[in-house]
Amino acid sequence: MLFNLLQTTGFEADTVASVAQAAPQPQEMSYSLIEMASKGGWLMLVLLALSLIALYIFGKKWWMIRQANKIDRNFMKDIRDYIHAGKIKSAKMLCERYDSPVARLVQKGIERIGRPLPDIQAAVENTGNVEVARLEKGLSFLATIAGGAPMIGFLGTVTGMIQAFFNMSNAGNNIDITLLSSGIYTAMVTTVGGLIVGILAYFGYNYVTSQISDLIFRMESATIDFMDLLHEPAEKEE
């Protein structure tokens, strides 16, 4: 009796083990990022192109700002000393040493020394406007990418859901969850891709804008200091 019971128990255990082995096991997500992105369809190529453009613009502006900030803190003091000493050529050479908007607008003012002060101020301000336009060139594209990339992602969401419902309508009564998988996968992947590109472009745009604002403030301060410098000899003569 005990032997039969052990045989029965062993048989049931083998049956349960075989059923457990035959049951489908949940698959782990083993896709790489490239494979996942490829599931998003052709819109992912558009998002990739936008991300490369945004990266190029951000890198270029970051490098320009970095170079513009490489200027000695005593720059204006040295310019003042040279001008008071009558060393105009040395002052120009000091400006040429720096690839900075501040140095270029001061150089433009030095080149106009000897003309009426309003003409000098106008030349410096025009140079400042050109430098600001140069710094801000391309930022509109970065802002457009920040706002447009999520919209492209949502477009992929809509097209993916349309594809899913289209597959359901063609299946008739044989509706299977696998018919929805490809469309929903496309919808989710494009949404995530668009949000990632948009968020990165948005933060990059705000960072570059804030750095340019600080640089414009330094340019305005340098302009004021230079114009005050030109008034100093006249004040001393009085």
Side-chain angles (χ1 to χ4, degrees):
M1 183 69 179
L2 180 59
F3 179 74
N4 292 335
L5 180 60
L6 291 174
Q7 276 189 330
T8 304
T9 304
F11 175 76
E12 291 177 354
D14 293 340
T15 303
V16 172
S18 62
V19 171
Q21 291 178 355
Q25 299 294 326
Q27 297 181 354
E28 297 181 356
M29 183 177 292
S30 60
Y31 292 127
S32 65
L33 291 177
I34 297 178
E35 290 174 338
M36 290 180 63
S38 65
K39 301 293 183 180
W42 63 272
L43 285 176
M44 295 301 294
L45 297 177
V46 178
L47 293 174
L48 176 62
L50 292 178
S51 65
L52 294 177
I53 295 173
L55 182 62
Y56 170 77
I57 295 174
F58 176 80
K60 182 178 180 180
K61 295 303 174 183
W62 175 83
W63 179 257
M64 289 175 61
I65 294 170
R66 183 173 181 271
Q67 293 297 113
N69 289 326
K70 284 185 176 181
I71 190 169
D72 192 357
R73 293 182 178 180
N74 296 322
F75 173 75
M76 289 305 301
K77 179 179 179 300
D78 295 337
I79 292 293
R80 179 179 287 103
D81 293 340
Y82 282 136
I83 292 179
H84 284 329
K87 300 179 180 180
I88 304 300
K89 185 176 180 180
S90 297
K92 291 181 181 179
M93 293 177 61
L94 178 62
C95 294
E96 293 173 355
R97 287 172 51 189
Y98 299 101
D99 183 17
S100 172
V102 174
R104 281 190 286 270
L105 65 87
V106 172
Q107 181 180 1
K108 180 62 68 173
I110 293 174
E111 293 173 352
R112 295 295 189 273
I113 289 179
R115 298 186 181 184
L117 291 180
D119 293 345
I120 298 176
Q121 184 171 1
V124 172
E125 290 178 352
N126 291 336
T127 303
N129 293 333
V130 172
E131 293 294 335
V132 171
R134 178 171 171 265
L135 290 170
E136 294 179 346
K137 183 180 180 181
L139 288 182
S140 59
F141 290 102
L142 195 59
T144 301
I145 293 172
M151 297 178 65
I152 294 176
F154 294 147
L155 176 62
T157 302
V158 174
T159 56
M161 298 306 296
I162 291 175
Q163 178 184 351
F165 285 111
F166 179 78
N167 294 335
M168 287 179 59
S169 65
N170 289 336
N173 295 327
N174 300 323
I175 297 178
D176 188 3
I177 191 63
T178 57
L179 297 175
L180 301 174
S181 61
S182 62
I184 295 177
Y185 202 102
T186 300
M188 295 299 101
V189 169
T190 53
T191 301
V192 172
L195 289 174
I196 290 175
V197 175
I199 290 172
L200 294 178
Y202 177 76
F203 282 110
Y205 172 80
N206 285 334
Y207 173 78
V208 172
T209 302
S210 65
Q211 293 296 313
I212 291 177
S213 298
D214 293 341
L215 188 55
I216 291 174
F217 174 78
R218 293 181 60 185
M219 293 169 60
E220 293 175 348
S221 178
T223 301
I224 294 173
D225 291 343
F226 181 76
M227 296 307 300
D228 290 341
L229 168 62
L230 298 182
H231 285 84
E232 287 179 3
E235 293 176 357
K236 289 181 178 180
E237 290 176 1
E238 294 177 358

